[in-house]
Amino acid sequence: MDRFVIEGGTALRGRVEISGAKNSALPVLAACLLTDQPVILHRIPRVKDIRTMMDLLIHMGMSLENGETGAVTVRAGSSLQPEAPYEVVKTMRASSLVLGPLVGRYGRARVSLPGGCAIGARPIDLHMRGLEQLGAKIEQTHGYIEATAPEGLRGAVVHFDRITVTGTEDIIMAAVLARGETVIENAAREPEVVDLSDLLRKMGAEIEGAGTSTIRIRGVKHLTGAEHTIIADRIEAGTFAIGAAITGGDVEVVGCVPEHLTALTAKLRKAGAEVTEPAPSVLRVRGTGRLLSEDIVTEEHPGFPTDLQAQYMSLMTQAEGIAIVSERIFENRFMHAPELVRMGASIRIDGRQAIVAGPRRLTGAHVMASDLRASASLVLAGLVAKGETIVDRVYHMDRGYEKIESKLAGLGARIRRTQ
Ligand code: EPU
């Protein structure tokens, strides 16, 4: 199993290019199931979760072709098997994203229920209830969800009891080919929902309100092929921004969308980092030598993203004072805290809050990554720790960060991958 060996103590300096957003590319790839014409996608990140989604599409009968410029062309094959088996999707929860397009276009889907997840129970009941409202019949047997709609789906009002990102995406994809109008209330406003809707509109879908809490979709008869560039990964960009601040470095995060990161950049400024936008799509983050504690509460977009909570907690171990980190989205997303404590951090967990007292001098240790973002927080801690840090189980990190060690090394970090 791969691990990272990090020699701490160097400030990150230079420019880093941000990849396409994993959480955008996943629904966008699933959306290709909605047409039999080719969809050309640019800036698909080469990370494990995307590979799994591609394998799933291939398993179902789609063909994927890599172009010379890195573009991926997705085409429907001659026959499609609307089934996502456990063996293909067991490592990726986002498999539920194929439910909506499959039942919307083919009238049936058989998708393995996602397994357990380190960060919380993560049910998909809201996806299923939404599909039922559109007229699908849903059964759960042998670990699979079977959804059928032999007469096709019909538009309806889908009100989500709580905001769900992939649930919103799933229902959008189910509704684009349904008869009549669908209104999604209490929809997720994440940039990834907007990106998916942008692609679907290029394919001929009629969608209004993506990026707000109410999304209206008027079903159309069929969708065509399209060409689309995935938005920048705001979580990757945020991770490098925190990396600059925690190491007291100076990094230009290039090719990102600063408006997607305002919850983080506001906190970084308050915590003492200098954040500027020297050019469009560029964020420059500079450590000023002193970090101050600043509380955060994770919320749905445009609030502080849960996917940057772990990395921010590492930053707060280096800040003066007490910071309260509150996790409101997932019930079990503090698995990085005990590992940070092993490196010398002072963190007390009280329910959904972590109380971080800083600054504490971290020292290198052998630590274990428990999920994707937790592994990023441990790598960041390793960058400021004295001596050598070994981060085990980096396959978690490979699920969502493209070429992370070479990007960090390009900024001067001393990091290598070993087995
Ligand atoms: N929830 C339910 N029922 C559902 C769906 C969600 O109770 O049917 C609950 C979840 O358990 C959670 C909350 O609602 O407590 C929000 O979950 P959401 O559905 O929004 O999460 P998701 O769509 O499964 C996406 C990202 C996650 C990110 C969350 C929150 C993708 C592929 N994944 O997950 O990304 O943390 O939204 O922003 O888009 C990551 O990239 O590391 C990651 C975990």
Side-chain angles (χ1 to χ4, degrees), residues 201-221:
R201 271 201 303 266
K202 289 180 194 167
M203 293 166 73
E206 294 188 18
I207 304 172
E208 272 169 32
T212 74
S213 306
T214 306
I215 302 178
R216 284 175 192 278
I217 303 137
R218 264 179 306 277
V220 295
K221 286 249 166 2

Side-chain angles (χ1 to χ4, degrees), residues 22-23 122-126 162 164-166 307 329 373:
K22 163 186 83 86
N23 288 348
R122 301 188 74 184
I124 56 164
D125 55 308
L126 299 171
R162 71 174 290 178
T164 161
V165 179
T166 51
D307 290 345
I329 306 294
R373 308 305 171 185

Side-chain angles (χ1 to χ4, degrees), residues 160 163-166 168 184 186-190 193 211-213 215:
F160 283 123
I163 298 175
T164 161
V165 179
T166 51
T168 300
I184 305 177
N186 203 23
R189 292 179 285 164
E190 267 64 5
V193 173
T212 74
S213 306
I215 302 178

Side-chain angles (χ1 to χ4, degrees), residues 364-416:
H366 193 149
V367 291
M368 187 107 79
S370 54
D371 73 72
L372 169 56
R373 308 305 171 185
S375 46
S377 85
L378 298 178
V379 167
L380 291 176
L383 294 177
V384 280
K386 188 171 163 44
E388 188 178 89
T389 295
I390 297 173
V391 182
D392 245 326
R393 303 199 175 168
V394 296
Y395 60 84
H396 286 295
M397 195 134 187
D398 294 334
R399 284 185 35 219
Y401 286 91
E402 188 172 51
K403 299 192 201 131
I404 185 70
E405 70 268 37
S406 61
K407 287 190 184 186
L408 282 170
L411 296 171
R414 285 175 291 177
I415 179 169
R416 63 193 160 84

